[in-house]
Amino acid sequence: MDKIRLNNGVELPLIGFGTYPMHGAECEDSVITAIQAGYRMLDTAEAYGNEEEVGRGIARCGIPREELTLVTKVDFKSYDHALLSVENSLKKLGTDYLDLVLLHWPFANYYAAWRTLEDLYRQGKIRAIGVSNFNPDRLVDLIQYNQVVPAVNQVETHLFCQRKESRRWMEKYGVAPMAYAPLSRVRREDIFGGAVADIAGIHGKTEAQVLLRFLIQEGVMVIPKSSRPERIRGNFDIFDFSLTEEEMERLRALDEDAPLIGNPENPEKVEIAKTW
């Protein structure tokens, strides 16, 4: 399993299994399928409402806890009570420590929540802390006025939203990028075909495998989600080929630099956030 070293020395797999928006037996069974397929990093969140199912899947999988990387997120509605949120996540996931905890959005009282995570990190309850959906201005602000630099920024990243400028700022401060919706959760009829299909044919791979391989070669961790066992296994099967620099450039040229889901600068998103 290829890994990336974070700014505090902790190593994370380059690919993890996303669990949003799965619940119930579907989530639990999919977690087990993913672990059996080789995934060792599992991504969930307080806001997803499925930490218990993820925890049950882990308990049933037969793999020791120390071989797994558990990632969860504190919901911005809980930022004033981040300690309680983390304690609840520990109970639901059935573990006494977490590998990575993120602040889910740069909304509400995230400074208070971050300082709580800093304390838990120093106590060893969390191996690494980070953020999600933080654009460069919010990320740099958090770094400048706090003590622990986020280890990870999990943001929507895919073929049409490659986050080149954001990743430049992350690199400057040693923050590792992690892509959610790496295959684009919002359906785009043109995400497959064209250059992607050509490259997939050359390598004998699927378009989805090419898109995930592209991000990994860009130094971005990916957390694809699926509940279909064949897709779960297929998304993981991306370490037996490499894209050429010419192929990488063809895919880089398709960037539209526009998030389809996670844009915290959208005032309408901020306005309706309390209703989530």
Side-chain angles (χ1 to χ4, degrees):
M1 167 70 72
D2 292 349
K3 295 186 176 182
I4 187 169
R5 183 179 292 272
L6 304 182
N7 58 22
N8 67 348
V10 169
E11 292 187 337
L12 297 187
L14 278 170
I15 186 169
F17 183 64
T19 63
Y20 178 81
M22 295 188 289
H23 293 91
E26 177 188 56
C27 180
E28 186 175 336
D29 292 344
S30 295
V31 165
I32 294 170
T33 298
I35 293 172
Q36 291 173 341
Y39 294 84
R40 290 297 179 266
M41 181 163 66
L42 304 163
D43 177 81
T44 181
E46 176 189 4
Y48 298 171
N50 64 9
E51 289 176 314
E52 287 182 296
E53 292 97 320
V54 172
R56 287 197 295 269
I58 291 168
R60 290 175 51 202
C61 75
I63 298 296
R65 164 67 182 92
E66 59 270 18
E67 294 183 20
L68 301 174
T69 296
L70 300 188
V71 182
T72 193
K73 308 171 196 72
V74 179
D75 185 11
F76 62 90
K77 293 181 180 180
S78 300
Y79 283 175
D80 288 316
H81 309 282
L83 176 59
L84 179 61
S85 173
V86 172
E87 289 175 345
N88 286 338
S89 292
L90 287 165
K91 292 176 184 176
K92 291 176 180 178
L93 288 164
T95 184
D96 58 1
Y97 72 96
L98 292 163
D99 297 283
L100 177 63
V101 177
L102 311 175
L103 299 187
H104 210 151
W105 287 89
F107 301 154
N109 196 4
Y110 63 86
Y111 258 56
W114 183 252
R115 288 168 182 172
T116 297
L117 293 190
E118 287 183 327
D119 289 340
L120 291 169
Y121 171 66
R122 295 187 189 98
Q123 294 167 21
K125 291 286 187 180
I126 306 171
R127 297 178 66 224
I129 58 177
V131 295
S132 181
N133 296 299
F134 273 55
N135 284 349
D137 61 324
R138 294 300 86 207
L139 179 65
V140 174
D141 177 81
L142 190 73
I143 292 169
Q144 292 293 327
Y145 296 100
N146 290 279
Q147 296 180 353
V148 179
V149 175
V152 169
N153 188 12
Q154 185 185 112
V155 289
E156 175 193 356
T157 312
H158 47 74
L159 186 66
F160 298 119
C161 183
Q162 296 179 26
R163 304 280 186 176
K164 294 171 184 173
E165 180 66 9
S166 291
R167 286 192 282 123
R168 185 176 71 82
W169 283 100
M170 289 185 225
E171 183 178 4
K172 177 177 180 178
Y173 286 94
V175 181
M178 180 182 287
Y180 74 78
L183 301 176
S184 180
R185 192 183 305 150
V186 175
R187 182 65 183 173
R188 287 279 303 256
E189 294 301 325
D190 54 345
I191 196 167
F192 299 119
V196 179
D198 290 346
I199 294 168
I202 291 169
H203 293 278
K205 290 290 184 177
T206 67
E207 288 100 327
Q209 289 168 332
V210 167
L211 294 171
L212 294 173
R213 183 69 202 182
F214 168 68
L215 290 177
I216 281 179
Q217 287 188 213
E218 290 284 83
V220 179
M221 290 176 281
V222 295
I223 47 170
K225 170 265 172 185
S226 179
S227 59
R228 295 173 59 177
E230 67 276 14
R231 288 189 178 174
I232 292 173
R233 290 188 286 268
N235 288 342
F236 188 80
D237 187 22
I238 58 174
F239 295 101
D240 60 351
F241 76 108
S242 296
L243 303 177
T244 67
E245 184 58 27
E246 180 182 358
E247 291 167 340
M248 294 290 289
E249 284 299 327
R250 289 184 70 188
L251 297 177
R252 290 180 186 125
L254 298 176
D255 185 20
E256 296 176 1
D257 195 29
L260 305 175
I261 308 163
N263 181 8
E265 293 182 350
N266 181 349
E268 292 182 356
K269 183 178 288 290
V270 180
E271 189 175 54
I272 67 173
K274 278 193 173 182
T275 66
W276 294 355

